[in-house]
Amino acid sequence: RKLLAVLIIMPLIHTSLIMISFGRTIYESKIADGYKIKVSTGGLFSCGELIKLTKAEFFLFDKAIVQEKSLCLRDIQRIETIKFDRNSAEFLIYHNGEMDSENPYKYKIENNNMW
């Protein structure tokens, strides 16, 4: 019985450790009223860090509006908001310059009924 319990619990513990080590928020900044931009660590085989544009819901939770995984930017220090309105959003992303030589990286999002 104990062996069966160990076989069931070990994959759960292993999955929990992986989820804790990957997906941690390492940078967060407020953009506008109720909107934030977050940077979190990528997965095991990711090129860089994950950037999310979120909207606050129910005082406690954040709904991810835009997720960008393909930028290949590492060690993001800060993000400056150039423009954020109904039509688009523009950001300057300061990073270590290892994977992309453009520093700061100019990142633009077009609004297609996302916010």
Side-chain angles (χ1 to χ4, degrees), residues 80-91:
E80 289 181 10
T81 305
I82 298 173
K83 174 182 158 187
F84 185 78
D85 59 17
R86 304 174 50 182
N87 301 321
S88 65
E90 284 186 44
F91 304 101

Side-chain angles (χ1 to χ4, degrees), residues 18-83:
I18 289 174
M19 294 301 289
I20 288 171
S21 62
F22 300 114
R24 292 180 295 135
T25 301
I26 55 175
Y27 179 83
E28 184 174 324
S29 177
K30 185 177 178 180
I31 300 171
D33 189 33
Y35 292 95
K36 294 179 187 175
I37 190 160
K38 294 182 177 184
V39 177
S40 58
T41 57
L44 189 60
F45 297 110
S46 70
C47 178
E49 295 168 341
L50 175 68
I51 298 173
K52 292 182 192 177
L53 181 65
T54 63
K55 181 180 179 182
E57 287 193 357
F58 305 118
F59 300 109
L60 200 64
F61 302 104
D62 291 331
K63 178 183 178 183
I65 298 171
V66 177
Q67 289 187 359
E68 184 63 51
K69 302 176 190 175
S70 62
L71 290 181
C72 289
L73 301 176
R74 293 184 183 163
D75 193 26
I76 295 174
Q77 287 96 23
R78 66 185 163 113
I79 299 175
E80 289 181 10
T81 305
I82 298 173
K83 174 182 158 187

